[in-house]
Coordinates of all heavy atoms in Angstrom, one line a residue:
M1 N 10.8 -14.3 19.6 CA 11.8 -15.4 19.7 C 13.0 -14.9 20.4 O 13.3 -13.7 20.5 CB 12.3 -15.8 18.3 CG 11.2 -16.6 17.5 SD 10.8 -18.1 18.2 CE 12.0 -19.1 17.4
F2 N 13.8 -15.8 20.9 CA 15.0 -15.5 21.8 C 16.1 -15.1 20.8 O 16.4 -15.7 19.8 CB 15.3 -16.7 22.5 CG 16.5 -16.6 23.5 CD1 16.2 -15.9 24.7 CD2 17.7 -17.0 23.2 CE1 17.2 -15.7 25.6 CE2 18.7 -16.8 24.1 CZ 18.5 -16.2 25.3
G3 N 16.8 -14.0 21.1 CA 18.0 -13.6 20.4 C 17.6 -13.0 19.0 O 18.5 -13.0 18.1
E4 N 16.5 -12.4 18.7 CA 16.1 -11.8 17.5 C 15.9 -10.3 17.7 O 15.5 -9.9 18.8 CB 14.8 -12.5 17.0 CG 14.9 -13.8 16.5 CD 13.6 -14.2 15.7 OE1 12.7 -13.5 15.5 OE2 13.6 -15.4 15.6
R5 N 16.2 -9.6 16.6 CA 16.0 -8.2 16.7 C 14.5 -8.0 16.2 O 14.1 -8.8 15.4 CB 16.9 -7.4 15.8 CG 18.4 -7.5 16.3 CD 19.2 -6.3 15.9 NE 20.5 -6.4 16.3 CZ 21.0 -5.8 17.4 NH1 20.2 -5.2 18.1 NH2 22.2 -6.0 17.8
H6 N 13.9 -6.9 16.7 CA 12.5 -6.7 16.4 C 12.3 -5.3 15.9 O 11.6 -4.6 16.4 CB 11.6 -7.0 17.6 CG 11.5 -8.4 17.9 ND1 10.6 -9.3 17.5 CD2 12.3 -9.1 18.9 CE1 10.8 -10.4 17.9 NE2 11.8 -10.4 18.8
D7 N 13.2 -4.8 14.9 CA 13.2 -3.5 14.5 C 11.9 -3.2 13.9 O 11.2 -4.2 13.3 CB 14.4 -3.2 13.5 CG 14.4 -4.2 12.3 OD1 14.7 -5.2 12.4 OD2 14.0 -3.6 11.3
L8 N 11.4 -2.1 13.9 CA 10.1 -1.7 13.3 C 9.9 -2.0 11.9 O 8.8 -2.6 11.5 CB 9.8 -0.2 13.6 CG 8.4 0.1 14.0 CD1 7.9 -0.6 15.3 CD2 8.3 1.6 14.3
P9 N 10.7 -1.8 11.0 CA 10.5 -2.1 9.6 C 10.4 -3.6 9.3 O 9.5 -4.1 8.5 CB 11.7 -1.6 8.7 CG 12.2 -0.4 9.6 CD 11.9 -0.9 11.1
T10 N 11.0 -4.4 10.2 CA 10.9 -5.8 10.0 C 9.6 -6.3 10.6 O 8.8 -7.2 10.1 CB 12.1 -6.5 10.8 OG1 13.2 -6.1 10.2 CG2 11.8 -8.1 10.7
E11 N 9.1 -5.7 11.7 CA 7.7 -6.0 12.3 C 6.6 -5.6 11.4 O 5.6 -6.3 11.4 CB 7.7 -5.4 13.7 CG 8.7 -5.9 14.7 CD 8.5 -7.3 15.1 OE1 7.4 -7.7 15.6 OE2 9.3 -8.1 15.0
F12 N 6.8 -4.5 10.8 CA 5.6 -4.0 10.0 C 6.3 -3.6 8.5 O 6.2 -2.4 8.2 CB 5.0 -2.7 10.6 CG 4.6 -2.9 12.0 CD1 5.2 -2.2 13.0 CD2 3.5 -3.8 12.3 CE1 4.7 -2.5 14.4 CE2 3.2 -3.9 13.6 CZ 3.8 -3.3 14.6
P13 N 6.5 -4.7 7.8 CA 7.1 -4.4 6.4 C 6.1 -3.6 5.5 O 6.6 -2.9 4.6 CB 7.5 -5.8 5.9 CG 6.7 -6.8 6.7 CD 6.5 -6.1 8.0
E14 N 4.9 -3.8 5.7 CA 4.0 -3.1 4.9 C 3.9 -1.6 5.1 O 3.3 -0.8 4.4 CB 2.6 -3.8 5.1 CG 1.9 -3.5 6.5 CD 2.4 -4.4 7.6 OE1 3.3 -5.2 7.4 OE2 1.7 -4.3 8.6
H15 N 4.5 -1.2 6.1 CA 4.6 0.3 6.5 C 6.0 0.8 6.5 O 6.1 1.9 7.0 CB 4.0 0.5 7.9 CG 2.6 0.1 8.0 ND1 1.6 0.9 7.3 CD2 1.9 -0.7 8.8 CE1 0.4 0.4 7.6 NE2 0.6 -0.6 8.5
A16 N 6.9 0.1 5.8 CA 8.3 0.5 5.8 C 8.5 2.0 5.4 O 9.2 2.8 5.9 CB 9.2 -0.5 5.0
E17 N 7.8 2.3 4.3 CA 8.0 3.8 3.7 C 7.4 4.8 4.7 O 8.0 5.8 4.9 CB 7.3 3.8 2.4 CG 8.0 3.2 1.2 CD 7.3 3.3 -0.1 OE1 6.6 4.2 -0.3 OE2 7.6 2.3 -1.0
L18 N 6.2 4.5 5.2 CA 5.6 5.4 6.2 C 6.4 5.5 7.5 O 6.6 6.6 8.0 CB 4.2 4.8 6.5 CG 3.3 5.6 7.6 CD1 3.2 7.1 7.0 CD2 1.9 5.0 7.8
I19 N 7.1 4.3 7.9 CA 8.0 4.5 9.0 C 9.1 5.4 8.9 O 9.4 6.4 9.6 CB 8.5 3.1 9.4 CG1 7.4 2.3 10.0 CG2 9.6 3.2 10.4 CD1 7.7 0.7 10.0
Q20 N 9.7 5.4 7.6 CA 10.7 6.3 7.3 C 10.3 7.7 7.3 O 11.0 8.6 7.8 CB 11.4 5.9 6.0 CG 12.2 4.6 6.0 CD 12.8 4.3 4.6 OE1 12.5 5.0 3.6 NE2 13.5 3.2 4.6
K21 N 9.1 7.9 6.7 CA 8.6 9.3 6.6 C 8.2 9.9 7.9 O 8.6 11.0 8.2 CB 7.3 9.3 5.7 CG 6.6 10.6 5.5 CD 5.2 10.4 4.8 CE 4.5 11.7 4.7 NZ 3.2 11.6 4.1
L22 N 7.5 9.1 8.7 CA 7.2 9.7 10.1 C 8.4 9.8 11.0 O 8.4 10.8 11.7 CB 6.2 8.6 10.7 CG 4.8 8.6 10.1 CD1 3.9 7.7 10.9 CD2 4.1 10.0 10.2
Y23 N 9.4 9.0 10.8 CA 10.6 9.2 11.6 C 11.3 10.6 11.3 O 11.8 11.2 12.1 CB 11.6 8.0 11.3 CG 12.7 8.1 12.3 CD1 12.6 7.7 13.6 CD2 14.0 8.6 11.9 CE1 13.7 7.8 14.5 CE2 15.1 8.6 12.8 CZ 15.0 8.3 14.0 OH 15.9 8.3 15.0
K24 N 11.2 11.0 10.1 CA 11.9 12.2 9.7 C 10.9 13.4 9.8 O 11.5 14.5 10.0 CB 12.1 12.2 8.0 CG 13.1 11.1 7.7 CD 13.4 11.1 6.2 CE 14.4 10.1 5.8 NZ 14.5 9.9 4.4
T25 N 9.6 13.3 10.0 CA 8.7 14.4 10.0 C 7.8 14.6 11.2 O 7.2 15.5 11.5 CB 7.8 14.3 8.7 OG1 6.9 13.2 8.8 CG2 8.6 14.4 7.5
H26 N 7.8 13.5 12.0 CA 6.9 13.4 13.2 C 7.7 13.3 14.4 O 8.2 12.1 14.7 CB 5.9 12.3 13.0 CG 4.6 12.5 14.0 ND1 4.7 12.0 15.3 CD2 3.4 12.8 13.6 CE1 3.6 12.2 15.7 NE2 2.7 12.6 14.8
E27 N 7.9 14.4 15.2 CA 8.8 14.3 16.4 C 8.3 13.2 17.5 O 9.2 12.5 17.9 CB 8.8 15.7 17.0 CG 9.8 16.0 18.1 CD 9.9 17.3 18.6 OE1 9.8 18.3 17.7 OE2 10.0 17.5 19.8
A28 N 7.1 13.1 17.7 CA 6.7 12.3 18.7 C 6.9 10.8 18.3 O 7.3 9.9 19.1 CB 5.2 12.4 19.1
F29 N 6.6 10.4 17.0 CA 6.9 9.2 16.4 C 8.4 8.8 16.5 O 8.8 7.8 16.9 CB 6.4 9.0 15.0 CG 6.6 7.7 14.4 CD1 5.6 6.7 14.5 CD2 7.7 7.4 13.7 CE1 5.8 5.5 14.0 CE2 7.9 6.2 13.1 CZ 6.9 5.2 13.3
A30 N 9.2 9.8 16.1 CA 10.7 9.6 16.1 C 11.2 9.2 17.5 O 12.2 8.4 17.8 CB 11.4 10.8 15.5
A31 N 10.7 10.1 18.5 CA 11.2 9.8 19.9 C 10.7 8.4 20.4 O 11.5 7.7 21.0 CB 10.6 10.9 20.8
L32 N 9.5 8.0 20.1 CA 9.1 6.7 20.5 C 9.8 5.5 19.8 O 10.2 4.6 20.4 CB 7.6 6.4 20.2 CG 6.6 7.0 21.2 CD1 5.2 6.8 20.7 CD2 6.8 6.6 22.6
M33 N 10.1 5.9 18.6 CA 10.9 4.7 17.7 C 12.3 4.7 18.2 O 12.8 3.6 18.4 CB 10.9 5.2 16.2 CG 11.5 4.0 15.4 SD 11.1 4.4 13.6 CE 12.4 3.3 12.9
D34 N 12.8 5.9 18.6 CA 14.3 5.8 19.1 C 14.2 5.0 20.5 O 15.2 4.2 20.7 CB 14.8 7.2 19.4 CG 15.2 7.9 18.1 OD1 15.4 7.2 17.1 OD2 15.3 9.1 18.3
E35 N 13.2 5.2 21.3 CA 13.1 4.5 22.6 C 12.9 3.0 22.4 O 13.6 2.2 23.0 CB 12.0 5.1 23.4 CG 11.9 4.5 24.7 CD 10.7 5.1 25.6 OE1 10.0 6.1 25.2 OE2 10.4 4.6 26.7
Y36 N 12.1 2.7 21.4 CA 11.8 1.3 21.0 C 13.0 0.7 20.6 O 13.3 -0.5 21.0 CB 10.7 1.3 20.0 CG 10.4 -0.1 19.4 CD1 9.6 -1.0 20.0 CD2 11.1 -0.6 18.3 CE1 9.2 -2.3 19.5 CE2 10.9 -1.9 17.9 CZ 10.0 -2.8 18.4 OH 9.7 -4.0 18.0
T37 N 13.9 1.3 19.7 CA 15.0 0.7 19.1 C 16.0 0.5 20.1 O 16.7 -0.6 20.2 CB 15.6 1.6 18.0 OG1 14.6 1.8 16.9 CG2 16.8 1.1 17.3
A38 N 16.2 1.5 21.0 CA 17.2 1.4 22.1 C 16.8 0.1 23.1 O 17.7 -0.7 23.4 CB 17.3 2.5 23.0
L39 N 15.5 0.0 23.4 CA 15.1 -1.1 24.2 C 15.2 -2.4 23.5 O 15.6 -3.4 24.2 CB 13.6 -0.9 24.6 CG 12.9 -1.8 25.5 CD1 13.8 -1.7 26.9 CD2 11.5 -1.4 25.9
D40 N 15.0 -2.5 22.3 CA 15.1 -3.8 21.5 C 16.6 -4.0 21.5 O 16.9 -5.3 21.7 CB 14.5 -3.6 20.0 CG 14.6 -4.8 19.3 OD1 14.1 -5.8 19.8 OD2 15.2 -4.9 18.1
S41 N 17.4 -3.1 21.3 CA 18.9 -3.5 21.3 C 19.3 -4.0 22.8 O 20.1 -4.9 22.8 CB 19.7 -2.2 21.0 OG 19.6 -1.8 19.7
E42 N 18.8 -3.4 23.8 CA 19.1 -3.8 25.2 C 18.7 -5.3 25.3 O 19.4 -6.1 25.9 CB 18.4 -2.8 26.2 CG 18.7 -3.3 27.6 CD 17.9 -2.3 28.6 OE1 17.4 -1.4 28.2 OE2 18.1 -2.7 29.8
I43 N 17.4 -5.6 24.9 CA 16.9 -7.0 25.2 C 17.8 -7.9 24.3 O 18.0 -9.1 24.8 CB 15.4 -7.0 24.7 CG1 14.6 -6.2 25.7 CG2 15.0 -8.5 24.7 CD1 13.1 -5.9 25.3
Y44 N 18.1 -7.6 23.1 CA 18.9 -8.5 22.3 C 20.2 -8.7 22.9 O 20.7 -9.8 22.9 CB 19.1 -7.8 20.9 CG 20.0 -8.6 19.9 CD1 19.4 -9.7 19.3 CD2 21.3 -8.3 19.7 CE1 20.2 -10.4 18.3 CE2 22.1 -9.0 18.9 CZ 21.6 -10.1 18.2 OH 22.2 -10.8 17.3
E45 N 20.9 -7.7 23.4 CA 22.1 -7.9 24.0 C 22.0 -8.8 25.3 O 22.9 -9.6 25.6 CB 22.8 -6.5 24.4 CG 23.2 -5.6 23.2 CD 24.3 -6.3 22.4 OE1 25.2 -6.9 22.9 OE2 24.2 -6.2 21.1
I46 N 21.1 -8.5 26.1 CA 20.8 -9.5 27.2 C 20.7 -10.9 26.8 O 21.3 -11.9 27.4 CB 19.5 -9.0 28.0 CG1 19.8 -7.8 28.7 CG2 19.0 -10.1 29.0 CD1 18.6 -7.0 29.3
E47 N 19.9 -11.1 25.8 CA 19.6 -12.6 25.3 C 21.0 -13.1 24.7 O 21.2 -14.3 24.9 CB 18.5 -12.5 24.3 CG 17.2 -12.3 24.9 CD 16.0 -12.2 24.0 OE1 16.4 -12.0 22.8 OE2 14.9 -12.2 24.4
E48 N 21.5 -12.5 23.9 CA 22.8 -12.9 23.1 C 24.0 -13.1 24.1 O 24.8 -14.0 23.9 CB 23.1 -11.8 22.0 CG 22.3 -12.1 20.8 CD 22.3 -13.4 20.1 OE1 23.5 -13.8 19.7 OE2 21.4 -14.1 20.1
N49 N 24.2 -12.2 25.0 CA 25.4 -12.2 25.8 C 25.1 -13.1 27.1 O 26.0 -13.2 27.9 CB 25.8 -10.9 26.2 CG 26.3 -10.3 25.0 OD1 26.9 -10.7 24.0 ND2 26.2 -8.8 24.9
G50 N 23.9 -13.5 27.3 CA 23.5 -14.2 28.5 C 23.7 -13.4 29.8 O 24.1 -13.9 30.8
T51 N 23.5 -12.0 29.7 CA 23.6 -11.1 30.8 C 22.7 -11.6 31.9 O 21.6 -12.0 31.7 CB 23.2 -9.7 30.3 OG1 24.0 -9.3 29.3 CG2 23.3 -8.7 31.4
N52 N 23.3 -11.6 33.1 CA 22.6 -12.1 34.2 C 21.5 -11.0 34.7 O 21.8 -10.1 35.4 CB 23.6 -12.3 35.4 CG 22.8 -13.2 36.5 OD1 21.7 -13.8 36.3 ND2 23.6 -13.2 37.6
V53 N 20.2 -11.3 34.4 CA 19.1 -10.5 34.8 C 18.0 -11.4 35.3 O 18.0 -12.5 34.8 CB 18.6 -9.5 33.8 CG1 19.6 -8.5 33.3 CG2 18.0 -10.2 32.6
T54 N 17.3 -10.9 36.2 CA 16.1 -11.7 36.6 C 15.0 -11.9 35.4 O 15.0 -11.1 34.7 CB 15.4 -11.1 37.8 OG1 14.8 -9.9 37.5 CG2 16.3 -10.9 39.0
D55 N 14.4 -13.0 35.6 CA 13.3 -13.3 34.6 C 12.3 -12.2 34.7 O 11.8 -11.7 33.6 CB 12.6 -14.6 34.9 CG 13.5 -15.8 34.6 OD1 14.4 -15.6 33.8 OD2 13.2 -17.0 35.1
E56 N 12.1 -11.6 35.8 CA 11.1 -10.5 36.0 C 11.5 -9.3 35.3 O 10.7 -8.7 34.5 CB 10.8 -10.2 37.4 CG 10.2 -11.4 38.3 CD 11.0 -12.4 38.7 OE1 12.3 -12.3 38.7 OE2 10.5 -13.5 39.1
H57 N 12.8 -9.0 35.4 CA 13.3 -7.8 34.7 C 13.2 -8.0 33.1 O 12.9 -7.0 32.5 CB 14.8 -7.5 35.1 CG 15.3 -6.2 34.6 ND1 14.9 -4.9 34.7 CD2 16.3 -6.1 33.6 CE1 15.6 -4.1 34.1 NE2 16.5 -4.8 33.3
A58 N 13.6 -9.2 32.8 CA 13.6 -9.4 31.3 C 12.2 -9.3 30.7 O 12.0 -8.7 29.6 CB 14.2 -10.9 31.0
E59 N 11.3 -9.8 31.5 CA 9.8 -9.9 31.1 C 9.3 -8.3 31.1 O 8.5 -8.0 30.2 CB 8.9 -10.6 32.0 CG 9.2 -12.2 31.7 CD 9.0 -12.6 30.3 OE1 8.0 -12.2 29.7 OE2 9.9 -13.3 29.8
E60 N 9.8 -7.5 32.1 CA 9.3 -6.2 32.2 C 9.9 -5.4 30.9 O 9.1 -4.6 30.3 CB 9.9 -5.6 33.4 CG 9.6 -4.2 33.8 CD 10.3 -3.7 34.9 OE1 10.0 -4.3 36.1 OE2 11.0 -2.7 35.0
L61 N 11.1 -5.7 30.6 CA 11.6 -5.0 29.3 C 10.8 -5.4 28.1 O 10.5 -4.5 27.2 CB 13.1 -5.4 29.2 CG 14.1 -4.8 30.2 CD1 15.5 -5.3 30.0 CD2 14.1 -3.2 30.2
K62 N 10.5 -6.7 28.0 CA 9.8 -7.1 26.8 C 8.3 -6.5 26.8 O 7.9 -6.2 25.8 CB 9.7 -8.7 26.8 CG 11.1 -9.2 26.5 CD 11.0 -10.8 26.5 CE 12.4 -11.4 26.1 NZ 12.4 -12.8 26.1
F63 N 7.7 -6.5 28.0 CA 6.5 -5.9 28.1 C 6.4 -4.4 27.6 O 5.6 -4.0 26.8 CB 5.8 -5.9 29.4 CG 4.6 -5.4 29.7 CD1 3.4 -6.1 29.2 CD2 4.3 -4.0 30.1 CE1 2.1 -5.5 29.3 CE2 3.1 -3.5 30.3 CZ 1.9 -4.2 29.8
K64 N 7.5 -3.7 28.0 CA 7.7 -2.2 27.7 C 7.8 -2.2 26.2 O 7.3 -1.3 25.5 CB 8.9 -1.7 28.4 CG 8.9 -0.2 28.1 CD 10.0 0.4 29.1 CE 10.2 2.0 28.7 NZ 11.2 2.7 29.5
R65 N 8.6 -3.1 25.6 CA 8.8 -3.1 24.2 C 7.5 -3.3 23.3 O 7.2 -2.6 22.4 CB 9.8 -4.3 23.7 CG 10.1 -4.2 22.2 CD 11.2 -5.2 21.8 NE 10.8 -6.6 22.3 CZ 11.6 -7.6 22.1 NH1 12.8 -7.4 21.7 NH2 11.3 -8.8 22.5
V66 N 6.7 -4.2 23.8 CA 5.4 -4.5 23.2 C 4.5 -3.3 23.3 O 3.8 -2.9 22.4 CB 4.7 -5.8 23.9 CG1 3.2 -5.9 23.3 CG2 5.5 -7.0 23.5
S67 N 4.5 -2.6 24.5 CA 3.8 -1.5 24.7 C 4.1 -0.3 23.8 O 3.4 0.3 23.1 CB 3.8 -0.9 26.2 OG 3.2 0.2 26.4
L68 N 5.5 -0.2 23.6 CA 6.0 0.8 22.6 C 5.6 0.6 21.2 O 5.1 1.4 20.4 CB 7.4 1.1 22.7 CG 7.9 1.8 24.0 CD1 9.5 1.6 24.1 CD2 7.6 3.2 23.9
K69 N 5.6 -0.8 20.9 CA 5.3 -1.2 19.5 C 3.8 -1.0 19.2 O 3.5 -0.5 18.1 CB 5.6 -2.7 19.3 CG 5.3 -3.1 17.9 CD 6.1 -4.4 17.5 CE 5.6 -5.6 18.4 NZ 6.1 -6.9 17.9
D70 N 3.0 -1.2 20.3 CA 1.5 -1.0 20.1 C 1.3 0.5 19.8 O 0.4 0.9 19.0 CB 0.7 -1.4 21.3 CG 0.7 -2.9 21.4 OD1 0.9 -3.6 20.4 OD2 0.2 -3.4 22.5
K71 N 1.9 1.4 20.6 CA 1.9 2.8 20.4 C 2.2 3.2 19.0 O 1.6 4.1 18.3 CB 2.6 3.6 21.5 CG 2.0 3.6 22.9 CD 2.8 4.2 23.9 CE 2.4 4.0 25.2 NZ 3.3 4.6 26.3
L72 N 3.3 2.7 18.6 CA 3.9 3.0 17.2 C 2.9 2.4 16.1 O 2.8 3.3 15.2 CB 5.3 2.5 17.2 CG 6.4 3.2 17.8 CD1 7.7 2.3 18.0 CD2 6.8 4.5 17.3
Y73 N 2.5 1.5 16.3 CA 1.6 0.8 15.3 C 0.3 1.7 15.2 O -0.3 1.9 14.1 CB 1.2 -0.6 15.6 CG 0.3 -1.2 14.6 CD1 0.8 -1.5 13.3 CD2 -1.0 -1.5 14.8 CE1 0.1 -2.2 12.4 CE2 -1.8 -2.0 13.9 CZ -1.3 -2.3 12.6 OH -2.1 -2.9 11.7
S74 N -0.2 2.1 16.4 CA -1.3 3.0 16.4 C -1.1 4.3 15.6 O -2.0 4.8 14.9 CB -1.8 3.4 17.8 OG -2.4 2.3 18.4
M75 N 0.1 4.9 15.8 CA 0.5 6.2 15.1 C 0.5 5.8 13.5 O 0.1 6.5 12.7 CB 1.7 6.6 15.6 CG 1.6 7.2 16.9 SD 3.2 7.7 17.7 CE 3.3 9.4 17.1
L76 N 1.0 4.6 13.2 CA 1.2 4.2 11.9 C -0.2 4.1 11.2 O -0.5 4.6 10.1 CB 1.9 2.9 11.6 CG 3.5 2.9 11.9 CD1 4.0 1.5 11.9 CD2 4.0 3.7 10.9
Q77 N -1.2 3.5 11.9 CA -2.5 3.4 11.4 C -3.1 4.7 11.3 O -3.9 4.9 10.3 CB -3.4 2.5 12.5 CG -3.0 1.1 12.5 CD -3.1 0.4 11.3 OE1 -2.2 0.3 10.4 NE2 -4.4 0.0 10.9
E78 N -2.9 5.6 12.1 CA -3.5 7.1 12.0 C -3.0 7.8 10.7 O -3.7 8.6 10.2 CB -3.1 7.8 13.2 CG -3.7 7.5 14.5 CD -3.2 8.2 15.7 OE1 -2.5 9.3 15.5 OE2 -3.5 7.8 16.8
H79 N -1.8 7.4 10.4 CA -1.2 8.2 9.2 C -1.1 7.3 7.9 O -0.6 7.8 6.9 CB 0.2 8.7 9.6 CG 0.3 9.6 10.7 ND1 0.3 9.3 12.0 CD2 0.3 11.0 10.6 CE1 0.3 10.5 12.7 NE2 0.3 11.4 11.8
A80 N -1.7 6.1 8.0 CA -1.7 5.3 6.8 C -2.8 5.9 5.8 O -3.8 6.3 6.2 CB -2.1 3.8 7.1
D81 N -2.5 5.8 4.5 CA -3.4 6.3 3.6 C -4.6 5.4 3.4 O -4.7 4.2 3.3 CB -2.8 6.5 2.2 CG -1.7 7.6 2.3 OD1 -2.0 8.6 3.1 OD2 -0.7 7.6 1.5

């Protein structure tokens, strides 16, 4: 949706505890999550402030966010009990 935050615990509430655990203990997960969070904030700011960017650039950012979310979800699946 337009103008919504897509933080990882909100996207995957069933994995909220695992997200916290991996963020503290898994360096690669933490790095990807930091990148995802920064990108999500950038997209949110663009949408909320009406920052003038091309549609192509906005879609590129969103595609990258989805790609990162897929990688993070795969990592969650690998570490889920």
Side-chain angles (χ1 to χ4, degrees):
M1 290 297 268
F2 188 77
E4 287 184 11
R5 295 209 183 261
H6 293 272
D7 60 287
L8 219 52
T10 300
E11 293 292 300
F12 306 117
E14 68 278 12
H15 294 297
E17 288 181 28
L18 182 57
I19 290 167
Q20 289 179 357
K21 178 184 173 187
L22 288 178
Y23 188 76
K24 293 177 184 176
T25 62
H26 194 283
E27 190 174 318
F29 182 88
L32 282 176
M33 187 168 163
D34 286 344
E35 185 178 352
Y36 175 86
T37 300
L39 187 57
D40 185 51
S41 292
E42 181 181 355
I43 293 167
Y44 179 80
E45 291 300 319
I46 288 170
E47 291 175 345
E48 281 297 299
N49 295 328
T51 304
N52 192 14
V53 297
T54 64
D55 288 344
E56 292 82 14
H57 182 66
E59 291 303 313
E60 181 179 303
L61 293 175
K62 290 178 183 181
F63 179 79
K64 186 174 181 183
R65 179 177 61 188
V66 168
S67 178
L68 287 169
K69 184 165 61 171
D70 287 346
K71 289 176 187 176
L72 288 161
Y73 184 72
S74 291
M75 294 174 89
L76 289 170
Q77 291 298 98
E78 289 174 15
H79 293 88
D81 293 330

